[in-house]
Amino acid sequence: DIRPRHHRARTHDQHQGDAGSDGESDGGDDSDDDSDDDLDDYYAEWSLRKCSAASLDVMSTAFGDQILDFVLPVLREELASDDWRVKEAGVLALGAIADGCMSGMGPHMPSLLPYLVQWFKHEKALVRSIACWSASRYGKWAIYGAEPNTVKVYFEPLLAGLLEAMMDTSKRVQEAACSAFATIEEDAGPYMAPYIQPVLETLARAFGLYQRKNLIILYDAVGTLAEAVGPELNQPQYVQLLMPTILERWENLQTYDQHMFPLFECLSAIALALGSGFKPYAQPIYERSVQIVGETLQMCQQASQDPSIDAPNKDLVIVALDLISSIVQALGEESQGLIAQHNCVALQLVGMCMVDAETDVRQSAFALLGDLAMHCFALIQPQLGEIMQQLVPQIDYNYQHLNVCNNAAWSAGELALKGGDEVIKPYVTPLLERLVPLLNNENTPLTLAENAAITIGRLGLVSPSVVAPNLEAFAQRWCVVLSSVKDNDEKSSAFQGMMTMISANPHGISKAFLLFCQAAVNWQTPDARLMEMFVQTFAGLKQMAGDEWEASIGMLDPQSRQLVKERFNA
């Protein structure tokens, strides 16, 4: 949650019923019963069907398993019907209640899920497609359910059935199966790792079969697989299956083809998963991304000056910035060679994007700035003064543009960590003037407050002489906000900063002492350096308190008091 928020438009998380299709064509001919007159008539009622499914979904969410007494008898009757239309309506209803009635449906799934998988091969395309969607709604049960050997008995047949359905001759079934598969792999996460080979083989075949509309969902499925399995994807046999197909698409698509958007996002996920394994492919992809950002910004400027020129879609700038960000993260410090090309033109473009009129462009620009700070600070440092002039005003007291403000605050913390006291010191006070009010405002959205707190902690770590005198002004809210954040490196650096400030100004924590103790004991796995600082900090506070120490920690609840004594020798 502390990491920056990126622009990302997912396509597989559609509302129930959309998996079956709205009846629109993507060009080309359907080769099976999708073109039957009775099916065309049936699709005319699709909007009413979607509303009915949505109503069931809402009722199941509101009332949970209570509705099953009324729904299950009807479901049993419909699923047993010989009329395919009635059976299909039952399958749609079964999927619609999944989220709200998952626990109540659990005992019925050992018999129902295999039936749904069988219906992936039903003679009617509408039944096949809606069965794929409905089965995906119960994917979590197939992975994490209480039945013995759940993955082997239920998940593997479900996965195999969806992979086969993805190669269906009906485009509507392809769409439903591919979308359902993306949902399943997202739910399964690392459980997908043993199946990467057959999945990639199917995806590669699908790229040769799918037409334009369904390719968008296919890109999303590939990207979701990369997100699910992460570094497990970085194996030579997997890379050889995946990258030639993706690169062929990348090289052949025109810049302003609508398919560039999902392809950018797909490549971003692949780069992060492959890490250093993405290096052989990085340069041409990076160079084209930079070129696209530059050309699009130039065309937008021309359009602003000449009304006869149509402005291009700036979403292309956003996804290009996000892909560059992913490449930088994947290659780490090795990305400096790419960024340094052509007099660091990428940095110049990031600077332009940080002040762009489009909020989503600024959001992605500041996310990229933070990644560049982590891995390419030497290239950023000569331009730091100009960068900070653009960054500080984006940390808005009123967080009018929430995600921009969030990413700007996060990137400021990264710049501070890499720059150190001497480099960042001139900017600490103007940053605090914006970050502290954000943190202390209880109406500030939690994610933004967390970022503000972490950046304040990091500023305190590198420039305690500037930040520590202000400790009392933010310590209470700081401890409250970060107390419940999951353990991670960013939180660790912030706490190191807090304890550096306490060491410089121990009286500044007095009013927040109990909150600090609670935040400290909430740590589950502090690293060795952080633990050492906790022990030293509590020893210093105990020495300063003298005879009043026991009374001070006596105000903690018994469990927290015991943890302070045991963990921190206090």
Side-chain angles (χ1 to χ4, degrees):
D1 291 339
I2 302 301
R3 294 287 292 170
R5 296 166 61 89
H6 287 276
H7 172 85
R8 177 131 170 96
R10 304 188 75 70
T11 55
H12 70 261
D13 189 15
Q14 303 177 44
H15 197 279
Q16 69 271 13
D18 285 357
S21 174
D22 55 5
E24 294 177 358
S25 173
D26 63 351
D29 298 325
D30 276 327
S31 56
D32 74 347
D33 50 22
D34 281 0
S35 58
D36 290 351
D37 291 340
D38 60 346
L39 201 55
D40 290 338
D41 292 341
Y42 204 55
Y43 273 114
E45 302 300 323
W46 192 245
S47 293
L48 178 60
R49 290 160 44 74
K50 287 203 291 186
C51 290
S52 301
S55 297
L56 266 179
D57 188 1
V58 172
M59 292 175 67
S60 71
T61 302
F63 300 106
D65 295 340
Q66 297 177 60
I67 71 168
L68 292 180
D69 289 341
F70 309 99
V71 172
L72 283 178
V74 181
L75 273 180
R76 291 191 185 99
E77 182 178 341
E78 293 200 338
L79 294 176
S81 174
D82 292 331
D83 187 332
W84 72 269
R85 294 173 175 82
V86 176
K87 186 188 296 289
E88 190 277 341
V91 176
L92 175 59
L94 178 63
I97 65 173
D99 278 355
C101 302
M102 184 66 74
S103 60
M105 290 301 297
H108 304 280
M109 293 317 298
S111 58
L112 278 176
L113 192 59
Y115 273 111
L116 286 174
V117 174
Q118 287 181 17
W119 290 333
F120 295 173
K121 299 180 179 180
H122 195 277
E123 63 177 335
K124 290 294 183 180
L126 183 56
V127 176
R128 299 200 299 275
S129 63
I130 210 65
C132 291
W133 170 76
S134 186
S136 74
R137 301 271 285 179
Y138 293 94
K140 289 182 180 178
W141 178 89
I143 303 161
Y144 307 108
E147 295 291 313
N149 301 316
T150 302
V151 170
K152 188 74 175 176
V153 176
Y154 300 105
F155 177 69
E156 289 187 0
L158 172 59
L159 180 61
L162 286 175
L163 291 177
E164 184 176 353
M166 285 171 64
M167 305 307 297
D168 198 289
T169 55
S170 162
K171 293 194 297 293
R172 292 189 178 106
V173 178
Q174 293 169 8
E175 177 186 8
C178 193
S179 183
F181 167 71
T183 299
I184 289 293
E185 59 184 348
E186 188 170 35
D187 289 339
Y191 283 92
M192 288 297 300
Y195 314 105
I196 295 175
Q197 183 79 22
V199 165
L200 288 178
E201 290 173 352
T202 300
L203 293 174
R205 290 168 55 211
F207 272 110
L209 175 66
Y210 285 13
Q211 297 182 31
R212 285 188 58 85
K213 180 181 176 182
N214 288 345
L215 281 172
I216 294 176
I217 303 174
L218 189 58
Y219 290 131
D220 186 63
V222 174
T224 304
L225 176 68
E227 292 171 350
V229 302
E232 294 290 333
L233 190 63
N234 190 23
Q235 302 293 332
Q237 67 273 27
Y238 302 153
V239 174
Q240 287 302 313
L241 262 176
L242 175 63
M243 290 308 295
T245 300
I246 298 296
L247 289 175
E248 181 183 3
R249 300 282 168 176
W250 172 260
E251 292 165 0
N252 292 333
L253 275 178
Q254 297 297 311
T255 296
Y256 295 100
D257 190 308
Q258 287 296 311
H259 278 216
M260 286 298 287
F261 297 101
L263 182 54
F264 264 112
E265 293 177 338
C266 175
L267 275 168
S268 293
I270 292 171
L272 291 174
L274 296 185
S276 60
F278 194 74
K279 186 176 180 179
Y281 315 102
Q283 181 152 343
I285 293 173
Y286 167 81
E287 289 177 348
R288 187 178 184 190
S289 299
V290 170
Q291 181 183 4
I292 286 172
V293 173
E295 289 178 352
T296 305
L297 292 177
Q298 184 177 17
M299 291 171 65
C300 287
Q301 186 176 14
Q302 292 171 349
S304 68
Q305 298 169 350
D306 184 351
S308 66
I309 300 176
D310 292 331
N313 190 341
K314 277 192 180 177
D315 283 353
L316 201 57
V317 173
I318 296 165
V319 292
L321 290 172
D322 290 348
L323 178 52
I324 295 170
S325 184
S326 295
I327 292 172
V328 171
Q329 292 178 65
L331 302 189
E333 292 186 358
E334 290 187 89
S335 63
Q336 292 189 38
L338 292 176
I339 304 300
Q341 290 179 0
H342 310 300
N343 295 318
C344 295
V345 64
L347 297 185
Q348 300 170 33
L349 294 174
V350 171
M352 295 170 62
C353 291
M354 288 193 296
V355 294
D356 193 88
E358 295 282 342
T359 56
D360 287 344
V361 172
R362 300 202 304 276
Q363 173 186 332
S364 289
F366 282 112
L368 174 53
L369 175 64
D371 290 321
L372 291 169
M374 280 191 282
H375 305 293
C376 307
F377 185 79
L379 300 176
I380 287 179
Q381 187 171 348
Q383 304 179 36
L384 189 59
E386 183 178 350
I387 287 172
M388 296 306 292
Q389 278 187 323
Q390 296 167 340
L391 184 152
V392 173
Q394 301 290 341
I395 304 176
D396 178 17
Y397 307 117
N398 301 314
Y399 48 87
Q400 182 178 3
H401 304 296
L402 176 60
N403 293 338
V404 176
C405 186
N406 181 71
N407 287 6
W410 171 77
S411 61
E414 296 296 341
L415 288 166
L417 278 186
K418 287 294 185 179
D421 185 30
E422 184 177 344
V423 172
I424 206 69
K425 201 169 190 175
Y427 315 106
V428 173
T429 297
L431 284 170
L432 288 178
E433 289 173 351
R434 291 176 173 267
L435 290 167
V436 172
L438 272 177
L439 175 62
N440 286 335
N441 183 353
E442 294 189 0
N443 294 321
T444 298
L446 182 57
T447 300
L448 179 54
E450 290 169 353
N451 269 294
I454 282 180
T455 297
I456 290 170
R458 290 173 154 187
L459 291 172
L461 179 61
V462 299
S463 296
S465 63
V466 180
V467 187
N470 302 286
L471 180 55
E472 186 176 340
F474 58 80
Q476 290 176 287
R477 183 66 178 157
W478 191 97
C479 292
V480 170
V481 167
L482 291 189
S483 183
S484 58
V485 172
K486 291 181 179 179
D487 296 0
N488 58 44
D489 291 341
E490 292 171 327
K491 180 181 175 182
S492 177
S493 64
F495 267 79
Q496 290 177 40
M498 170 56 75
M499 287 184 282
T500 301
M501 289 185 280
I502 292 173
S503 177
N505 178 19
H507 293 287
I509 199 65
S510 298
K511 294 181 180 179
F513 173 72
L514 296 179
L515 294 171
F516 174 72
C517 291
Q518 190 61 57
V521 300
N522 280 356
W523 271 89
Q524 301 299 310
T525 56
D527 56 70
R529 173 58 182 152
L530 184 62
M531 180 58 78
E532 180 184 357
M533 292 187 73
F534 272 131
V535 172
Q536 292 173 352
T537 299
F538 276 103
L541 292 173
K542 181 178 181 180
Q543 183 178 12
M544 185 178 73
D547 295 339
E548 298 179 3
W549 177 253
E550 290 299 328
S552 296
I553 64 170
M555 289 186 283
L556 291 167
D557 65 85
Q559 182 180 7
S560 297
R561 184 167 63 249
Q562 188 66 25
L563 286 172
V564 167
K565 291 181 176 181
E566 291 178 356
R567 287 187 183 178
F568 311 127
N569 301 325

